[in-house]
Amino acid sequence: MGNGKSKNVEVGKAETGKLKRVDVSPVANYQANIAESHETFAVTEQWSPQPRPSLDKRLSLDLLSSTQLPEQSKQGKVFHPDLLNRNLVQMKYAVRGELAAKAKMLEEQGKTVTFTNIGNPHALGQQPITFYRQVLCLLTAPFLLDEPTIEQLFPSDVIARARSYLKDISGGVGAYSDSRGLQRFRQDVAHFIQKRDGFPSDPNTIFLTDGASMAVRLCLNALIRNKQDGLLCPIPQYPLYSAGVELYGGTLIGYELDESNGWAMNIDNLKSQLMAEKQRGVLCRALVFINPGNPTGQCLTVENLREVIKFAYNEQLVIMADEVYQENIYASDAKFVSCKKVLMEMGAPYSQSVELLSFHTISKGLIGECGLRGGYMEMTNIHPGAVDMILKLASINLCPNVLGQAATALMCNPPKPEEPSYALYTKERHGIYDSLKRRAEMLVNAFNELDGISCNITKGALYAFPNIDLPPKALEAAAKAGRIGDEFYCLALLDATGIVTVPGSGFGQVAGTYHFRTTILPNEAQMPDIIAKFKGFHEKFMTQYA
């Protein structure tokens, strides 16, 4: 149905069994009367993929419709940057953009560089949690379990967990698994979700992935059919979403968060953006929110989430809930509540019909295992045929890496209070959390003491996102250099101090405002020195361009 053509399906109201014909083309669904479209139907025609023309026929049709074949090579190269997928060429990912590349070059030249541009905890000194690594050690080297001294080397619960997991890993961690992840690990994730939210979770609607980013990309790839398909995304946003929408040929519909109100979400702004794009012929397919926020650090309340769910219900949107920072809550007045929990508590019709994709990862939180590439996606109220399509898409990569799967299961199923590893596990987690909270407060307070900078409290996540009031002369110098103001500022900061940040323009921002994102992750003992370097640079910069 991706061509927008109508298709009639025989359906009947679940309560009465009376049959009626309903037009289920994408455009018709979008424009249908909202009350009518949300009645509960039982589809009597079984879903199946639509047949496509044979390859020869498709090729001949493509050739007939082209007046000129594209250029095959340039400068003797077929794989030339000017001849690649245009969506890829136009895609931008600011977190690892020009500043990160320049920082690597400076580091190779022997200069001291502090990478605060990306949420990479272990690279900035955070130590791995012992229990996770001990179990992973035995999974990768199972022969150690046969050593006579094994019980002197590892706690008994670590040994038991490794043996239990290995029974369910056919061929060990070096073998391919199911494309959606091993059943045992998905069960651990499902139990975690059920315990967190108080509602059942089905392992068969959970996909383990190489980090949450891979799960997001799977969904964007499946949802976006052409440039007329849009994705509602917060501004500022994590550029995974803008990059993914560009790569898959869709349209990004930005809704601005309210900086003056702690980066709050405004439903009226969502509605106005949606209506404006609808008038331009863009069909919004999904709504993204990041909770806690990246780069903004705000936390959504239960009331915020209810409003989002009602909005998605009324506009027939898939919700993409990016909840990878759910353990990173520092403000005493903030609390993480999952979108699924709120959805289920709202009851019918919302709990039975609103389509929800929820994402989590081992890269953030208090585990910070970015390099292991583990995460999961839970699909709620998603059509079984669409779940099958995501499985087909995931199958192209054969399977997510098995160590990442195991680490995800461990995150979701940590040591129990009665087990020997629990005391150390709890001590390590509390140490990491308390330090992150202190660093967040330290950094935000330092920013707010400087003239020309204001910064909202980092209530959650791993970042601060200060607003810079750049002087007119600085903006003139930036324009002469062909730079956006905050990009100019961040490049100057890197040259002067070796501190790597990300310009706010890489995340999107209200026109006429300038920001940068920095992590709160540098080692706590080094934070005063980093703050002093930043303060010295900022004061000199503002004086230079006063």
Side-chain angles (χ1 to χ4, degrees):
M1 294 193 292
N3 58 10
K5 293 181 179 179
S6 296
K7 175 184 175 182
N8 288 325
V9 177
E10 189 175 44
V11 299
K13 285 190 177 181
E15 295 87 351
T16 64
K18 294 180 181 179
L19 297 178
K20 63 188 292 186
R21 307 296 293 186
V22 176
D23 188 334
V24 295
S25 72
V27 175
N29 265 348
Y30 189 81
Q31 296 174 339
N33 178 275
I34 296 300
E36 174 78 0
S37 65
H38 280 135
E39 292 179 9
T40 303
F41 291 100
V43 180
T44 57
E45 176 181 288
Q46 186 174 352
W47 178 89
S48 61
Q50 297 303 301
R52 301 185 65 191
S54 67
L55 181 60
D56 290 343
K57 186 175 181 181
R58 280 185 278 138
L59 287 174
S60 64
L61 288 173
D62 289 342
L63 290 173
L64 286 172
S65 63
S66 296
T67 55
Q68 183 178 357
L69 287 173
E71 191 175 359
Q72 169 66 5
S73 64
K74 190 171 184 177
Q75 297 174 334
K77 299 293 182 182
V78 174
F79 214 91
H80 188 281
D82 290 347
L83 304 180
L84 300 181
N85 183 325
R86 299 312 300 167
N87 294 338
L88 172 61
V89 174
Q90 293 169 12
M91 185 191 82
K92 294 181 180 179
Y93 184 67
V95 172
R96 292 208 174 185
E98 180 186 0
L99 269 98
K102 184 174 182 180
K104 280 292 185 184
M105 182 185 70
L106 292 174
E107 188 177 46
E108 289 169 1
Q109 293 172 358
K111 297 181 180 179
T112 300
V113 176
T114 304
F115 289 91
T116 71
N117 61 309
I118 192 166
N120 195 7
H122 291 193
L124 290 172
Q126 181 175 311
Q127 294 303 300
I129 291 176
T130 303
F131 175 77
Y132 298 147
R133 288 296 186 91
Q134 286 179 324
V135 176
L136 293 175
C137 173
L138 292 179
L139 293 181
T140 55
F143 52 83
L144 292 176
L145 291 166
D146 297 326
E147 289 293 318
T149 58
I150 185 64
E151 293 182 359
Q152 299 172 27
L153 299 173
F154 295 93
S156 59
D157 56 337
V158 168
I159 296 170
R161 181 71 67 89
R163 283 181 170 147
S164 176
Y165 277 171
L166 285 167
K167 288 179 182 177
D168 294 314
I169 306 176
S170 177
V173 297
Y176 288 135
S177 76
D178 185 290
S179 293
R180 75 181 90 195
L182 285 157
Q183 177 76 6
R184 169 66 185 276
F185 295 152
R186 286 186 281 120
Q187 287 173 342
D188 280 356
V189 173
H191 291 154
F192 162 79
I193 294 170
Q194 183 167 335
K195 181 179 179 181
R196 182 195 66 189
D197 297 339
F199 294 93
S201 176
D202 181 0
N204 292 321
T205 61
I206 291 171
F207 282 73
L208 301 180
T209 53
D210 291 332
S213 298
M214 177 59 74
V216 169
R217 288 174 54 197
L218 286 172
C219 295
L220 292 180
N221 194 357
L223 274 169
I224 295 172
R225 300 162 298 184
N226 52 50
K227 199 68 176 176
Q228 287 181 287
D229 283 343
L231 180 76
L232 263 171
C233 192
I235 298 297
Q237 53 94 29
Y238 178 48
L240 164 67
Y241 295 97
S242 54
V245 169
E246 186 71 46
L247 181 63
Y248 299 123
T251 296
L252 188 76
I253 307 172
Y255 64 90
E256 294 172 352
L257 303 176
D258 185 357
E259 184 172 11
S260 66
N261 190 24
W263 297 111
M265 180 187 289
N266 186 322
I267 292 295
D268 289 336
N269 183 260
L270 268 74
K271 292 177 181 177
S272 63
Q273 293 299 318
L274 184 70
M275 292 307 298
E277 291 300 320
K278 190 189 297 186
Q279 290 171 2
R280 292 179 57 242
V282 176
L283 184 74
C284 187
R285 303 274 283 158
L287 160 67
V288 172
F289 67 77
I290 307 172
N291 181 37
N294 175 12
T296 50
Q298 89 285 6
C299 299
L300 296 181
T301 64
V302 170
E303 187 54 41
N304 291 150
L305 292 168
R306 288 192 186 118
E307 289 181 329
V308 169
I309 290 166
K310 289 178 182 178
F311 177 73
Y313 173 82
N314 290 332
E315 299 296 340
Q316 292 184 283
L317 304 175
V318 177
I319 296 177
M320 298 179 68
D322 186 331
E323 298 174 334
V324 301
Y325 299 99
Q326 59 188 260
E327 287 193 296
N328 301 107
I329 306 286
Y330 314 118
S332 58
D333 62 344
K335 179 183 179 181
F336 172 78
V337 181
S338 76
C339 188
K340 182 183 177 183
K341 179 178 176 64
V342 176
L343 175 63
M344 293 297 110
E345 288 177 343
M346 288 175 71
Y350 307 104
S351 61
Q352 297 173 358
S353 59
V354 173
E355 297 165 84
L356 172 64
L357 305 167
S358 304
F359 308 98
H360 196 14
T361 184
I362 63 171
S363 299
K364 312 303 177 188
L366 304 180
I367 178 171
E369 292 278 13
C370 301
L372 288 178
R373 308 310 300 135
Y376 73 76
M377 166 178 64
E378 184 187 28
M379 309 179 81
T380 304
N381 292 329
I382 303 299
H383 192 296
V387 176
D388 290 343
M389 290 297 101
I390 293 294
L391 178 57
K392 180 167 71 171
L393 194 56
S395 298
I396 296 173
N397 294 324
L398 296 177
C399 75
N401 84 85
V402 179
L403 279 181
Q405 294 182 48
T408 303
L410 289 167
M411 175 186 71
C412 293
N413 186 11
K416 306 297 186 295
E418 67 275 11
E419 294 178 334
S421 295
Y422 183 77
L424 178 59
Y425 167 81
T426 304
K427 179 182 177 182
E428 290 173 336
R429 280 175 53 85
H430 285 172
I432 293 168
Y433 173 83
D434 292 343
S435 179
L436 285 171
K437 184 177 180 180
R438 288 192 298 268
R439 282 177 274 172
E441 293 173 353
M442 195 185 309
L443 198 58
V444 170
N445 290 340
F447 286 142
N448 285 324
E449 289 173 358
L450 296 172
D451 291 336
I453 288 186
S454 62
C455 187
N456 276 305
I457 294 171
T458 299
K459 290 190 173 185
L462 299 175
Y463 315 98
F465 196 63
N467 183 309
I468 331 165
D469 186 10
L470 292 172
K473 288 185 179 179
L475 294 175
E476 291 172 10
K480 287 180 181 178
R483 301 285 184 184
I484 300 170
D486 47 23
E487 184 181 68
F488 181 77
Y489 180 92
C490 290
L491 282 165
L493 173 65
L494 174 60
D495 287 335
T497 66
I499 299 172
V500 194
T501 55
V502 186
S505 50
F507 300 90
Q509 55 196 346
V510 173
T513 66
Y514 302 97
H515 303 78
F516 65 88
R517 189 192 80 167
T518 177
T519 71
I520 61 171
L521 292 172
N523 187 283
E524 190 171 357
Q526 298 173 342
M527 193 65 86
D529 180 57
I530 291 170
I531 289 172
K533 284 182 181 180
F534 180 86
K535 181 180 179 181
F537 160 79
H538 179 75
E539 291 174 345
K540 185 176 180 180
F541 182 94
M542 298 300 277
T543 300
Q544 179 181 353
Y545 293 104

